[in-house]
Amino acid sequence: MGIPSVQGQHAKPTEYEVKATYLYNFSRFVEWPAQGVQVQSDTFAICVLGDNPFGPALNATVAQETIAGKSVVAKQISAPQDAVNCRVLFISSSEAKRLKEILTNLGAASVLTVSDLPRFTQRGGMVQFVLEGDRVRFEVNSAIAARAGLTMSSELLKVAVNVRRSVQLGD
Amino acid sequence: MSMLVSGTALLLAGMGLFAYDLYSFRVGTVRDLGIKAQIIGSNSISAVLFDDSRSAETTLSALQSAPHVMSAEIYTPDGVAFAGYRRDRGQSLPPPPAIPTGQAEVYRFQNGEVGLVRSITFQGKPVATVYMRSDLGAMHARERDFALIVATVFLMSLLAAMWMSSSTRRSIAEPIVRLAETAQIVLREKNYSIRAPMNGERNELAVLISSFNEMLAQIQERDAALEKSRDHLEQQVQERTAQLNVANADLEAFSYSVSHDLRAPLRHIAGFSQILSEDYGPKMDPEAQRHLDRILSGVKNMSRLIEDLLKMAQIGRKELVRVTTDLNLLLKDVIADLRPEFEGRQIDWRIGGLSPVECDAGLVKQVFANLISNAIKYSRRREVAVIEAGQVEEDGASVIFVRDNGAGFDERYADKLFGVFQRLHRAEDFEGTGVGLSTVQRIIRKHGGEIWAKSEVNKGATFFFVLAEKRQGLTRAKAAGAPAGA
């Protein structure tokens, strides 16, 4: 093959290594509005709120990567209000108790929310990891993303195991 | 010929077009496959990035509508097979060609298929490679179609060419063939009244045919004129011959009757002169006696002359009785008969070597008698006379000769030798009537032969003759042997 690689041939990537990659990949299939995000213009922040399940995997994934000319950085945050500066926010399972608060806090900010938390897309989240056996899949709620000014590419929707298009929040 | 040329041109043009079409079709096939690979790849980016091979396979299954695509395979940048599509189950997959660095695509024609690998990038990064294989069924189908079209065009042009050539044949070749046939018939049958059929057209061929016919007409005309003049000539010859025969017969009858009628008065003169001499001889004076002797000798001469002339005239009337005759024996008889003429002389006879001949023995004996008698007469002043008679072969003809070493004659006058009463010697020197050689010539000519002579004064003479009717050989022998003519 044209692009020889030894990675992946040796060891099967761990669940969170996969998720770290996906986290980065999601951002490649989502369009953010041109204005309205008060973030530093030269970086593209992928933030982890709460306990970091990725270990060094996320940093490794985003290293040297750019999106729309901006270098991607991984950030560890603990305060929900810090999340508005992020483009992608992974809400760790440790934040289950205050999920509602976190989402409310974000409001209509153009932040792509991702989490492992169950029923996340029914509770106001945009992307939720699910496991099918040992395969990492995800479902999305495109309506919630649209409300935040984010456009999910049809390519992304195509590979999602489930696409919700409702802003009606369940519990 | 023209059909061959146009057929070849057509075939070459067809092959050229075919080659170009195949080439462009190949290029098109590769481009098409590349586009397909790009579309498949583009639609599978998210599937690869999110490890969703089912989604990729759904995308790939769209290839079912592309019947020539044999297989499509998506690999991750690591080279791991991600998703695949096979048109036919259980098909083994040949290893994909490697993409050279710096290129997005590579293709390979191999084993009747084309394999293409395309690298798919997303946002500037390689995401996947797509490996697709397509059979060349489309190409073969196109080859078939093309061959069919070329064959059809070729066949139609051939038919058109044949139709055109047959029409050319009708208007040009066939009239020429007819003309040639006519010419051959004319040649074979020598029938100049035949005419080549006209085809009713007004072209160069019609001119040719009418010229040919005109030529035939002229030949026919000339032929007729020739035949007419030949008939006329034949008629003339017949007329002249008849006239000649009549004249000849008249002449012979005349000379016979003259000779015959002359004998009676001559006999009176001779008889009464004899009586006069016997009864009154002693009473006459010697002068009168001498005159009477002269009369008697003149009568004797005249009698011999008449005898000879009668003999000659008889030859003309006599029918030849041809029998096989031994000329050697004949010569012996002749010499025996002539013995009184050379009594007391010394003669060296060289006779012999003559072949038997079909001839009238009596007449030929006269010929030899005359010639030998001449030879004896003209050689009498030689102390030893040499007389030869024999035969030489000249140009296939047997030429008989009689030779002496006598007085000979001047060849300038040879043409006078055989004329009646013509003599080359004075009677005082050698007596004679001048009828002998003329008689000889008549006998030989009656046999269909010819006689001629060669001589020099005082060096003897040779007489040649042939009896057979071999005129050609004879004529040449004459020309060579007697340039002065005989």
Side-chain angles (χ1 to χ4, degrees):
Chain A
M1 298 294 292
I3 304 105
S5 176
V6 286
Q7 258 191 350
Q9 298 282 341
H10 296 164
K12 199 173 152 64
T14 64
E15 182 189 331
Y16 277 92
E17 279 170 353
V18 173
K19 283 178 176 172
T21 310
Y22 281 18
L23 214 50
Y24 162 66
N25 280 343
F26 289 142
S27 50
R28 300 167 78 180
F29 288 96
V30 173
E31 254 182 64
W32 275 263
Q35 275 120 27
V37 183
Q38 305 84 23
V39 288
Q40 292 153 292
S41 57
D42 56 342
T43 58
F44 185 99
I46 297 177
C47 307
V48 178
L49 181 64
D51 295 347
N52 183 358
F54 300 103
L58 190 58
N59 273 317
T61 301
V62 303
Q64 311 299 323
E65 300 288 356
T66 58
I67 287 176
K70 292 171 176 140
S71 52
V72 183
V73 293
K75 274 188 185 171
Q76 172 80 44
I77 57 173
S78 46
Q81 47 270 42
D82 292 340
V84 290
N85 295 320
C86 301
R87 296 284 187 115
V88 179
L89 177 69
F90 179 80
I91 301 167
S92 171
S93 299
S94 62
E95 308 302 306
K97 295 259 168 51
R98 53 173 187 156
L99 176 63
K100 201 165 186 173
E101 179 198 345
I102 293 165
L103 292 176
T104 309
N105 201 292
L106 278 173
S110 300
V111 176
L112 182 73
T113 55
V114 184
S115 179
D116 286 328
L117 289 168
R119 299 177 62 241
F120 180 63
T121 54
Q122 293 162 55
R123 292 159 69 189
M126 297 175 194
V127 181
Q128 178 197 331
F129 286 121
V130 291
L131 286 178
E132 274 182 1
D134 57 351
R135 285 166 61 87
V136 178
R137 311 299 309 149
F138 59 92
E139 55 178 62
V140 297
N141 192 325
S142 60
I144 289 173
R147 199 180 57 184
L150 303 179
T151 311
M152 287 178 164
S153 131
S154 63
E155 288 294 303
L156 185 67
L157 304 185
K158 192 170 74 179
V159 292
V161 289
N162 194 4
V163 178
R164 295 180 198 277
R165 299 175 196 278
S166 167
V167 292
Q168 295 297 313
L169 300 183
D171 200 40
Chain B
M1 184 62 202
S2 60
M3 263 166 72
L4 196 73
V5 169
S6 53
T8 309
L10 203 67
L11 262 185
L12 281 176
M15 276 159 63
L17 270 173
F18 189 42
Y20 174 72
D21 190 78
L22 269 188
Y23 169 74
S24 55
F25 192 73
R26 232 172 100 117
V27 170
T29 303
V30 169
R31 195 171 50 218
D32 181 59
L33 200 61
I35 289 168
K36 279 197 184 96
Q38 181 62 52
I39 290 169
I40 296 287
S42 297
N43 281 307
S44 305
I45 291 168
S46 60
V48 174
L49 288 177
F50 295 106
D51 194 22
D52 188 355
S53 51
R54 256 183 318 184
S55 164
E57 267 153 17
T58 307
T59 305
L60 285 169
S61 66
L63 288 171
Q64 278 163 356
S65 61
H68 296 296
V69 174
M70 298 162 76
S71 72
E73 204 77 10
I74 300 173
Y75 297 89
T76 64
D78 300 341
V80 178
F82 177 71
Y85 159 79
R86 304 287 164 88
R87 187 183 61 190
D88 311 307
R89 279 173 204 284
Q91 188 185 86
S92 68
L93 194 67
I99 298 185
T101 358
Q103 283 185 29
E105 187 181 279
V106 68
Y107 66 87
R108 173 184 67 193
F109 280 89
Q110 181 181 293
N111 303 329
E113 60 175 65
V114 54
L116 180 138
V117 173
R118 188 169 179 89
S119 156
I120 307 296
T121 56
F122 179 60
Q123 294 170 349
K125 288 189 201 117
V127 172
T129 49
V130 178
Y131 171 35
M132 286 182 77
R133 285 158 62 236
S134 171
D135 65 31
L136 298 176
M139 201 134 105
H140 295 321
R142 196 165 174 98
E143 280 168 27
R144 259 198 315 278
D145 288 354
F146 208 98
L148 200 72
I149 289 168
V150 167
T152 309
V153 169
F154 188 68
L155 211 72
M156 278 166 63
S157 337
L158 212 67
L159 283 175
M162 269 162 75
W163 178 77
M164 268 155 68
S165 117
S166 86
S167 76
T168 309
R169 196 184 154 73
R170 259 200 306 283
S171 64
I172 294 173
E174 277 177 17
I176 290 180
V177 167
R178 277 208 302 276
L179 185 62
E181 277 169 0
T182 308
Q184 286 204 322
I185 291 170
V186 168
L187 211 62
R188 199 167 49 235
E189 298 178 3
K190 302 268 180 288
N191 183 351
Y192 299 107
S193 62
I194 294 171
R195 294 290 178 270
M198 301 288 285
N199 57 356
E201 287 176 33
R202 292 178 164 273
N203 52 19
E204 290 81 351
L205 272 176
V207 174
L208 180 68
I209 293 172
S210 80
S211 303
F212 178 76
N213 284 343
E214 237 164 80
M215 234 156 65
L216 281 179
Q218 282 178 11
I219 292 174
Q220 196 181 9
E221 227 168 81
R222 211 162 292 175
D223 227 31
L226 216 66
E227 203 162 332
K228 205 169 146 192
S229 82
R230 194 184 61 206
D231 287 351
H232 182 65
L233 260 172
E234 257 174 32
Q235 198 189 337
Q236 270 190 331
V237 167
Q238 275 173 1
E239 278 170 16
R240 293 285 188 285
T241 311
Q243 284 170 2
L244 264 171
N245 284 340
V246 169
N248 242 349
D250 284 352
L251 205 65
E252 270 169 18
F254 172 75
S255 73
Y256 181 79
S257 61
V258 166
S259 311
H260 191 263
D261 293 351
L262 282 176
R263 285 166 103 182
L266 195 64
R267 216 174 288 128
H268 280 288
I269 297 169
F272 285 106
S273 299
Q274 195 72 38
I275 291 167
L276 204 61
S277 173
E278 283 168 9
D279 293 358
Y280 301 96
K283 296 172 191 167
M284 281 183 199
D285 61 31
E287 182 79 18
Q289 187 72 49
R290 264 203 310 281
H291 289 321
L292 197 61
D293 283 348
R294 284 258 175 98
I295 290 170
L296 276 172
S297 140
V299 166
K300 211 168 153 190
N301 266 344
M302 192 167 175
S303 173
R304 197 164 60 226
L305 191 64
I306 289 169
E307 240 7 84
D308 284 354
L309 277 173
L310 272 174
K311 267 190 209 159
M312 197 169 79
Q314 273 168 359
I315 292 164
R317 283 205 295 258
K318 218 183 142 191
E319 282 295 314
L320 286 184
V321 184
R322 286 182 186 266
V323 288
T324 308
T325 311
D326 184 344
L327 296 182
N328 300 305
L329 280 179
L330 203 72
L331 269 163
K332 251 184 200 170
D333 282 355
V334 166
I335 292 166
D337 289 348
L338 291 174
R339 190 157 295 275
E341 290 187 19
F342 58 89
E343 204 74 78
R345 280 182 53 193
Q346 221 181 326
I347 295 178
D348 179 4
W349 293 100
R350 299 175 185 174
I351 311 292
L354 289 120
S355 317
V357 172
E358 285 256 323
C359 65
D360 187 310
L363 290 179
V364 173
K365 191 174 177 183
Q366 277 189 53
V367 169
F368 279 119
N370 266 296
L371 293 177
I372 298 289
S373 172
N374 279 347
I376 293 167
K377 179 166 53 182
Y378 292 106
S379 64
R380 70 176 170 221
R381 295 196 179 149
R382 296 278 177 261
E383 208 169 309
V384 179
V386 178
I387 298 175
E388 289 176 74
Q391 180 177 317
V392 289
E393 298 295 322
E394 261 182 54
D395 294 319
S398 296
V399 179
I400 299 159
F401 67 89
V402 174
R403 183 179 291 140
D404 64 62
N405 60 343
F409 57 89
D410 190 338
E411 267 191 5
R412 275 180 296 171
Y413 309 112
D415 56 326
K416 290 190 161 58
L417 270 179
F418 302 102
V420 190
F421 307 127
Q422 301 273 6
R423 301 209 61 224
L424 299 184
H425 298 274
R426 291 190 306 166
E428 292 86 46
D429 295 336
F430 297 103
E431 73 290 343
T433 56
V435 178
L437 282 177
S438 182
T439 308
V440 164
Q441 190 185 43
R442 293 197 82 166
I443 293 170
I444 287 170
R445 284 191 173 165
K446 193 143 180 134
H447 278 85
E450 193 52 79
I451 182 164
W452 63 99
K454 272 181 81 175
S455 178
E456 247 180 90
V457 177
N458 282 324
K459 287 191 177 169
T462 309
F463 286 82
F464 299 92
F465 68 91
V466 286
L467 288 169
E469 291 193 55
K470 286 186 177 170
R471 294 200 171 272
Q472 283 187 334
L474 158 85
T475 315
R476 251 179 275 139
K478 260 175 78 178

mmCIF file of all heavy atoms in Angstrom, chain B residues 215-244:
data_model
loop_
_atom_site.group_PDB
_atom_site.id
_atom_site.type_symbol
_atom_site.label_atom_id
_atom_site.label_comp_id
_atom_site.label_asym_id
_atom_site.label_seq_id
_atom_site.Cartn_x
_atom_site.Cartn_y
_atom_site.Cartn_z
ATOM 1 N N MET B 215 -11.607 -3.288 -91.301
ATOM 2 C CA MET B 215 -10.411 -4.016 -91.708
ATOM 3 C C MET B 215 -10.789 -5.351 -92.332
ATOM 4 O O MET B 215 -10.271 -5.752 -93.380
ATOM 5 C CB MET B 215 -9.535 -4.270 -90.494
ATOM 6 C CG MET B 215 -8.125 -3.798 -90.641
ATOM 7 S SD MET B 215 -7.440 -3.497 -89.032
ATOM 8 C CE MET B 215 -7.425 -5.125 -88.338
ATOM 9 N N LEU B 216 -11.744 -6.050 -91.682
ATOM 10 C CA LEU B 216 -12.216 -7.329 -92.209
ATOM 11 C C LEU B 216 -12.804 -7.137 -93.599
ATOM 12 O O LEU B 216 -12.559 -7.926 -94.514
ATOM 13 C CB LEU B 216 -13.268 -7.922 -91.277
ATOM 14 C CG LEU B 216 -12.740 -8.612 -90.024
ATOM 15 C CD1 LEU B 216 -13.899 -9.132 -89.197
ATOM 16 C CD2 LEU B 216 -11.835 -9.773 -90.413
ATOM 17 N N ALA B 217 -13.582 -6.055 -93.752
ATOM 18 C CA ALA B 217 -14.220 -5.807 -95.041
ATOM 19 C C ALA B 217 -13.153 -5.610 -96.116
ATOM 20 O O ALA B 217 -13.261 -6.154 -97.226
ATOM 21 C CB ALA B 217 -15.113 -4.575 -94.938
ATOM 22 N N GLN B 218 -12.100 -4.861 -95.771
ATOM 23 C CA GLN B 218 -11.041 -4.617 -96.743
ATOM 24 C C GLN B 218 -10.335 -5.913 -97.121
ATOM 25 O O GLN B 218 -10.073 -6.175 -98.304
ATOM 26 C CB GLN B 218 -10.024 -3.625 -96.175
ATOM 27 C CG GLN B 218 -10.538 -2.194 -96.252
ATOM 28 C CD GLN B 218 -9.564 -1.207 -95.650
ATOM 29 O OE1 GLN B 218 -8.424 -1.574 -95.357
ATOM 30 N NE2 GLN B 218 -10.010 0.020 -95.485
ATOM 31 N N ILE B 219 -10.063 -6.721 -96.084
ATOM 32 C CA ILE B 219 -9.402 -8.005 -96.359
ATOM 33 C C ILE B 219 -10.271 -8.854 -97.270
ATOM 34 O O ILE B 219 -9.800 -9.461 -98.240
ATOM 35 C CB ILE B 219 -9.111 -8.758 -95.039
ATOM 36 C CG1 ILE B 219 -8.064 -8.006 -94.249
ATOM 37 C CG2 ILE B 219 -8.662 -10.182 -95.314
ATOM 38 C CD1 ILE B 219 -7.811 -8.584 -92.882
ATOM 39 N N GLN B 220 -11.578 -8.850 -96.973
ATOM 40 C CA GLN B 220 -12.515 -9.653 -97.754
ATOM 41 C C GLN B 220 -12.496 -9.200 -99.215
ATOM 42 O O GLN B 220 -12.441 -10.020 -100.131
ATOM 43 C CB GLN B 220 -13.917 -9.486 -97.167
ATOM 44 C CG GLN B 220 -14.877 -10.544 -97.643
ATOM 45 C CD GLN B 220 -16.257 -10.331 -97.051
ATOM 46 O OE1 GLN B 220 -16.497 -9.294 -96.434
ATOM 47 N NE2 GLN B 220 -17.148 -11.272 -97.246
ATOM 48 N N GLU B 221 -12.506 -7.876 -99.404
ATOM 49 C CA GLU B 221 -12.500 -7.301 -100.743
ATOM 50 C C GLU B 221 -11.247 -7.750 -101.501
ATOM 51 O O GLU B 221 -11.303 -8.224 -102.628
ATOM 52 C CB GLU B 221 -12.489 -5.781 -100.621
ATOM 53 C CG GLU B 221 -13.484 -5.066 -101.512
ATOM 54 C CD GLU B 221 -13.571 -3.615 -101.085
ATOM 55 O OE1 GLU B 221 -12.670 -2.857 -101.501
ATOM 56 O OE2 GLU B 221 -14.490 -3.258 -100.319
ATOM 57 N N ARG B 222 -10.107 -7.579 -100.808
ATOM 58 C CA ARG B 222 -8.825 -7.909 -101.432
ATOM 59 C C ARG B 222 -8.759 -9.400 -101.757
ATOM 60 O O ARG B 222 -8.282 -9.796 -102.815
ATOM 61 C CB ARG B 222 -7.698 -7.545 -100.467
ATOM 62 C CG ARG B 222 -6.437 -7.138 -101.185
ATOM 63 C CD ARG B 222 -5.503 -6.391 -100.298
ATOM 64 N NE ARG B 222 -6.038 -5.102 -99.932
ATOM 65 C CZ ARG B 222 -5.428 -4.293 -99.066
ATOM 66 N NH1 ARG B 222 -4.312 -4.660 -98.479
ATOM 67 N NH2 ARG B 222 -5.943 -3.118 -98.778
ATOM 68 N N ASP B 223 -9.303 -10.198 -100.853
ATOM 69 C CA ASP B 223 -9.344 -11.645 -101.040
ATOM 70 C C ASP B 223 -10.105 -11.983 -102.307
ATOM 71 O O ASP B 223 -9.665 -12.803 -103.118
ATOM 72 C CB ASP B 223 -10.061 -12.262 -99.826
ATOM 73 C CG ASP B 223 -9.295 -13.431 -99.282
ATOM 74 O OD1 ASP B 223 -8.051 -13.403 -99.402
ATOM 75 O OD2 ASP B 223 -9.933 -14.353 -98.744
ATOM 76 N N ALA B 224 -11.253 -11.335 -102.442
ATOM 77 C CA ALA B 224 -12.109 -11.605 -103.596
ATOM 78 C C ALA B 224 -11.367 -11.222 -104.880
ATOM 79 O O ALA B 224 -11.371 -11.984 -105.864
ATOM 80 C CB ALA B 224 -13.406 -10.812 -103.463
ATOM 81 N N ALA B 225 -10.717 -10.041 -104.849
ATOM 82 C CA ALA B 225 -9.993 -9.567 -106.033
ATOM 83 C C ALA B 225 -8.889 -10.556 -106.402
ATOM 84 O O ALA B 225 -8.705 -10.917 -107.570
ATOM 85 C CB ALA B 225 -9.408 -8.192 -105.765
ATOM 86 N N LEU B 226 -8.204 -11.025 -105.361
ATOM 87 C CA LEU B 226 -7.096 -11.958 -105.556
ATOM 88 C C LEU B 226 -7.591 -13.251 -106.198
ATOM 89 O O LEU B 226 -6.998 -13.776 -107.145
ATOM 90 C CB LEU B 226 -6.467 -12.260 -104.192
ATOM 91 C CG LEU B 226 -4.965 -12.434 -104.173
ATOM 92 C CD1 LEU B 226 -4.310 -11.119 -104.535
ATOM 93 C CD2 LEU B 226 -4.510 -12.867 -102.774
ATOM 94 N N GLU B 227 -8.713 -13.730 -105.666
ATOM 95 C CA GLU B 227 -9.270 -14.985 -106.162
ATOM 96 C C GLU B 227 -9.678 -14.833 -107.627
ATOM 97 O O GLU B 227 -9.428 -15.704 -108.461
ATOM 98 C CB GLU B 227 -10.498 -15.343 -105.314
ATOM 99 C CG GLU B 227 -10.812 -16.817 -105.361
ATOM 100 C CD GLU B 227 -11.720 -17.219 -104.200
ATOM 101 O OE1 GLU B 227 -11.656 -16.540 -103.147
ATOM 102 O OE2 GLU B 227 -12.480 -18.168 -104.358
ATOM 103 N N LYS B 228 -10.266 -13.667 -107.911
ATOM 104 C CA LYS B 228 -10.724 -13.394 -109.263
ATOM 105 C C LYS B 228 -9.530 -13.421 -110.235
ATOM 106 O O LYS B 228 -9.573 -14.088 -111.278
ATOM 107 C CB LYS B 228 -11.395 -12.017 -109.285
ATOM 108 C CG LYS B 228 -12.414 -11.879 -110.398
ATOM 109 C CD LYS B 228 -13.209 -10.606 -110.196
ATOM 110 C CE LYS B 228 -13.585 -9.994 -111.534
ATOM 111 N NZ LYS B 228 -14.096 -8.619 -111.348
ATOM 112 N N SER B 229 -8.464 -12.737 -109.817
ATOM 113 C CA SER B 229 -7.314 -12.656 -110.716
ATOM 114 C C SER B 229 -6.643 -14.020 -110.854
ATOM 115 O O SER B 229 -6.138 -14.360 -111.913
ATOM 116 C CB SER B 229 -6.330 -11.595 -110.234
ATOM 117 O OG SER B 229 -5.512 -12.113 -109.231
ATOM 118 N N ARG B 230 -6.682 -14.805 -109.775
ATOM 119 C CA ARG B 230 -6.094 -16.140 -109.859
ATOM 120 C C ARG B 230 -6.886 -17.012 -110.828
ATOM 121 O O ARG B 230 -6.334 -17.712 -111.672
ATOM 122 C CB ARG B 230 -6.079 -16.781 -108.462
ATOM 123 C CG ARG B 230 -5.200 -18.018 -108.384
ATOM 124 C CD ARG B 230 -5.297 -18.668 -107.018
ATOM 125 N NE ARG B 230 -6.669 -19.080 -106.755
ATOM 126 C CZ ARG B 230 -7.186 -19.201 -105.529
ATOM 127 N NH1 ARG B 230 -6.448 -18.920 -104.482
ATOM 128 N NH2 ARG B 230 -8.424 -19.602 -105.365
ATOM 129 N N ASP B 231 -8.229 -16.929 -110.709
ATOM 130 C CA ASP B 231 -9.080 -17.681 -111.628
ATOM 131 C C ASP B 231 -8.784 -17.280 -113.069
ATOM 132 O O ASP B 231 -8.659 -18.128 -113.961
ATOM 133 C CB ASP B 231 -10.561 -17.402 -111.311
ATOM 134 C CG ASP B 231 -10.976 -18.104 -110.029
ATOM 135 O OD1 ASP B 231 -10.162 -18.923 -109.525
ATOM 136 O OD2 ASP B 231 -12.082 -17.846 -109.539
ATOM 137 N N HIS B 232 -8.654 -15.981 -113.240
ATOM 138 C CA HIS B 232 -8.406 -15.456 -114.573
ATOM 139 C C HIS B 232 -7.085 -16.007 -115.127
ATOM 140 O O HIS B 232 -7.020 -16.463 -116.271
ATOM 141 C CB HIS B 232 -8.360 -13.927 -114.494
ATOM 142 C CG HIS B 232 -8.162 -13.270 -115.828
ATOM 143 N ND1 HIS B 232 -9.104 -13.345 -116.844
ATOM 144 C CD2 HIS B 232 -7.152 -12.522 -116.321
ATOM 145 C CE1 HIS B 232 -8.671 -12.682 -117.887
ATOM 146 N NE2 HIS B 232 -7.489 -12.172 -117.605
ATOM 147 N N LEU B 233 -6.061 -15.985 -114.231
ATOM 148 C CA LEU B 233 -4.743 -16.475 -114.624
ATOM 149 C C LEU B 233 -4.801 -17.936 -115.021
ATOM 150 O O LEU B 233 -4.272 -18.342 -116.055
ATOM 151 C CB LEU B 233 -3.758 -16.315 -113.472
ATOM 152 C CG LEU B 233 -2.837 -15.110 -113.571
ATOM 153 C CD1 LEU B 233 -2.055 -14.951 -112.287
ATOM 154 C CD2 LEU B 233 -1.890 -15.294 -114.756
ATOM 155 N N GLU B 234 -5.480 -18.713 -114.189
ATOM 156 C CA GLU B 234 -5.596 -20.145 -114.460
ATOM 157 C C GLU B 234 -6.240 -20.384 -115.819
ATOM 158 O O GLU B 234 -5.777 -21.191 -116.626
ATOM 159 C CB GLU B 234 -6.440 -20.818 -113.372
ATOM 160 C CG GLU B 234 -5.581 -21.577 -112.382
ATOM 161 C CD GLU B 234 -6.415 -22.105 -111.225
ATOM 162 O OE1 GLU B 234 -7.602 -22.435 -111.447
ATOM 163 O OE2 GLU B 234 -5.867 -22.164 -110.109
ATOM 164 N N GLN B 235 -7.276 -19.596 -116.021
ATOM 165 C CA GLN B 235 -8.010 -19.726 -117.288
ATOM 166 C C GLN B 235 -7.082 -19.402 -118.458
ATOM 167 O O GLN B 235 -7.035 -20.127 -119.458
ATOM 168 C CB GLN B 235 -9.189 -18.765 -117.249
ATOM 169 C CG GLN B 235 -10.255 -19.103 -118.281
ATOM 170 C CD GLN B 235 -11.291 -18.001 -118.335
ATOM 171 O OE1 GLN B 235 -11.455 -17.256 -117.379
ATOM 172 N NE2 GLN B 235 -11.981 -17.905 -119.465
ATOM 173 N N GLN B 236 -6.292 -18.313 -118.255
ATOM 174 C CA GLN B 236 -5.361 -17.901 -119.305
ATOM 175 C C GLN B 236 -4.344 -18.989 -119.600
ATOM 176 O O GLN B 236 -4.073 -19.315 -120.755
ATOM 177 C CB GLN B 236 -4.637 -16.627 -118.882
ATOM 178 C CG GLN B 236 -5.377 -15.373 -119.321
ATOM 179 C CD GLN B 236 -4.517 -14.153 -119.111
ATOM 180 O OE1 GLN B 236 -3.669 -14.141 -118.220
ATOM 181 N NE2 GLN B 236 -4.725 -13.139 -119.929
ATOM 182 N N VAL B 237 -3.815 -19.568 -118.479
ATOM 183 C CA VAL B 237 -2.815 -20.619 -118.644
ATOM 184 C C VAL B 237 -3.402 -21.785 -119.415
ATOM 185 O O VAL B 237 -2.801 -22.312 -120.345
ATOM 186 C CB VAL B 237 -2.277 -21.080 -117.266
ATOM 187 C CG1 VAL B 237 -1.492 -22.384 -117.404
ATOM 188 C CG2 VAL B 237 -1.424 -20.000 -116.645
ATOM 189 N N GLN B 238 -4.642 -22.147 -119.021
ATOM 190 C CA GLN B 238 -5.284 -23.266 -119.706
ATOM 191 C C GLN B 238 -5.458 -22.970 -121.192
ATOM 192 O O GLN B 238 -5.168 -23.815 -122.060
ATOM 193 C CB GLN B 238 -6.648 -23.554 -119.071
ATOM 194 C CG GLN B 238 -6.521 -24.478 -117.856
ATOM 195 C CD GLN B 238 -7.834 -24.633 -117.124
ATOM 196 O OE1 GLN B 238 -8.852 -24.065 -117.547
ATOM 197 N NE2 GLN B 238 -7.807 -25.388 -116.055
ATOM 198 N N GLU B 239 -5.899 -21.742 -121.452
ATOM 199 C CA GLU B 239 -6.112 -21.356 -122.852
ATOM 200 C C GLU B 239 -4.813 -21.462 -123.650
ATOM 201 O O GLU B 239 -4.751 -22.071 -124.716
ATOM 202 C CB GLU B 239 -6.642 -19.917 -122.937
ATOM 203 C CG GLU B 239 -8.149 -19.843 -122.710
ATOM 204 C CD GLU B 239 -8.618 -18.407 -122.556
ATOM 205 O OE1 GLU B 239 -7.852 -17.476 -122.918
ATOM 206 O OE2 GLU B 239 -9.747 -18.212 -122.069
ATOM 207 N N ARG B 240 -3.741 -20.856 -123.041
ATOM 208 C CA ARG B 240 -2.444 -20.840 -123.732
ATOM 209 C C ARG B 240 -1.931 -22.266 -123.938
ATOM 210 O O ARG B 240 -1.418 -22.608 -124.996
ATOM 211 C CB ARG B 240 -1.403 -20.067 -122.926
ATOM 212 C CG ARG B 240 -1.672 -18.588 -122.812
ATOM 213 C CD ARG B 240 -1.365 -17.848 -124.118
ATOM 214 N NE ARG B 240 -1.456 -16.421 -123.947
ATOM 215 C CZ ARG B 240 -2.597 -15.740 -123.837
ATOM 216 N NH1 ARG B 240 -3.748 -16.391 -123.884
ATOM 217 N NH2 ARG B 240 -2.588 -14.432 -123.679
ATOM 218 N N THR B 241 -2.097 -23.102 -122.894
ATOM 219 C CA THR B 241 -1.625 -24.479 -123.007
ATOM 220 C C THR B 241 -2.345 -25.195 -124.135
ATOM 221 O O THR B 241 -1.729 -25.894 -124.956
ATOM 222 C CB THR B 241 -1.853 -25.237 -121.678
ATOM 223 O OG1 THR B 241 -1.355 -24.440 -120.627
ATOM 224 C CG2 THR B 241 -1.160 -26.576 -121.666
ATOM 225 N N ALA B 242 -3.632 -25.000 -124.155
ATOM 226 C CA ALA B 242 -4.426 -25.637 -125.207
ATOM 227 C C ALA B 242 -3.947 -25.172 -126.577
ATOM 228 O O ALA B 242 -3.726 -25.986 -127.485
ATOM 229 C CB ALA B 242 -5.908 -25.292 -125.000
ATOM 230 N N GLN B 243 -3.736 -23.824 -126.683
ATOM 231 C CA GLN B 243 -3.265 -23.266 -127.955
ATOM 232 C C GLN B 243 -1.925 -23.880 -128.343
ATOM 233 O O GLN B 243 -1.716 -24.295 -129.485
ATOM 234 C CB GLN B 243 -3.115 -21.742 -127.839
ATOM 235 C CG GLN B 243 -4.460 -21.013 -127.889
ATOM 236 C CD GLN B 243 -4.318 -19.541 -127.521
ATOM 237 O OE1 GLN B 243 -3.211 -19.076 -127.270
ATOM 238 N NE2 GLN B 243 -5.444 -18.848 -127.492
ATOM 239 N N LEU B 244 -1.032 -23.946 -127.299
ATOM 240 C CA LEU B 244 0.293 -24.503 -127.535
ATOM 241 C C LEU B 244 0.204 -25.945 -128.003
ATOM 242 O O LEU B 244 0.900 -26.349 -128.938
ATOM 243 C CB LEU B 244 1.134 -24.439 -126.262
ATOM 244 C CG LEU B 244 2.057 -23.242 -126.155
ATOM 245 C CD1 LEU B 244 2.663 -23.191 -124.771
ATOM 246 C CD2 LEU B 244 3.168 -23.336 -127.207
#
